[in-house]
Amino acid sequence: MLGQKLRFGAFIAPFHPLDENPTLALERDIELVQWMDQLGYDEAWIGEHHSAGYELIASPELFIATVAERTRNIKLGTGVSSLPYHHPLMLADRINQLDHITRGRVMLGVGPGSLPSDAIMMGINPLKQRDMMDEALDAIVPLLRGETVNMKTEWFELNNARLQMTPWSRPSVEIAVASQVSPTGATAAGRHGLSLLSIGATSAGGFNALSTNWAICEDTAKDNGKTVDRSGWRLVGPVHIAETREKARENVRFGLDKWLYYFREVAALPLAPTDGSDPVDALIASGMAVIGTPEDAVAQIERLQQQSGGFGCFMQLAHNWANWENTKRSYELMARYVAPKFQNLNDNRDVSLNWAKDNRESFMGQAMMAVGARVAQHVEKKGTENIRPEILAAMGLNKKTDAAQ
């Protein structure tokens, strides 16, 4: 019996250095999702950021509305909507509209907001963001199920609030909560019975916290009378693959240093070595990134499966380490040679090939007997004049023998 298919997708923050046209960079993000749709990817999640210059998408909903018109099958999520930045009714209403426009292809990813600079500009205390996220979720979850909500907090109020349109997706659009190392996301997902989005799954801290965070999610769900499903758990990690490891390493020299600069100077994550050693070697050795071949990507996913106990979707962190053509090729190699191994796409082909190979002698013998019978019928009626010599030889006949008969 076939197992459940592991889904594949991308988490598109995005990350664009300051040395290129931002309009064209956004267009390339749209083209990436179109390319993924053609390749059969399952999901693309789009980020929300408002400062620091690299992560250019301010409204995931606007991006999703645009790309939905240019794609056919891929599901599109907000990755993530920062809940403290939005009145819950306004965000729920926009997501509900997208749910109808896309005929159920939209998903809502939520989080507290990842850049303190965003919150500071809006006068939001970063220390309160996680509490604000929890309060917003208490409102958004029932709203997106078509329920009426009355609620008052320090920062929003809802009076008989409801969506004008009954949700297209039932009972609701899928909602996923971002999680990294802390238990905040896992607790929120469990409390409401939502999906989990592990953004830093391959970082040292995120990788080590995978099994713990899922246990927290399950236990919290049980305590609140909810259930959670591993098929809704997404794990995110950076990948760039090529036909050879050497080619992959060469490809990422194009933009890796600019990506690392952003995380060193803005996001303050210790991703790059400070001792002068090669950052490519460091990223590979730490397990943080795949820079290699399809086989290396397979090994990374198997490693994540073993550490987590099982999950539903692997998402590549979009990073622009390579130029556009090599980036597209990397996504194509993932679709052609990595995804099939986790989706059982070739299982029946393998069985069919081996069955035909193992029985070749018998099958070919029967086929030759069938051909021989028809040739014999023809010789009996018309003689051997129009039969090719090699066919007669295979049957132990020749024109001379036939003439003598």
Side-chain angles (χ1 to χ4, degrees), residues 18-79:
L18 273 61
D19 60 353
E20 65 173 306
N21 186 322
T23 308
L24 297 180
L26 288 171
E27 187 64 35
R28 191 170 71 245
D29 294 330
I30 294 172
E31 291 178 22
L32 175 59
V33 181
Q34 289 178 274
W35 181 234
M36 291 171 61
D37 188 51
Q38 293 178 42
L39 292 172
Y41 277 81
D42 300 282
E43 304 176 0
W45 295 73
I46 315 303
E48 175 194 354
H49 303 88
H50 304 278
S51 61
Y54 264 53
E55 301 174 84
L56 296 179
I57 296 173
S59 171
E61 303 101 272
L62 284 176
F63 186 98
I64 288 171
T66 301
V67 80
E69 288 296 301
R70 307 188 194 184
T71 56
R72 296 179 59 188
N73 300 306
I74 193 167
K75 298 195 72 175
L76 305 163
T78 64

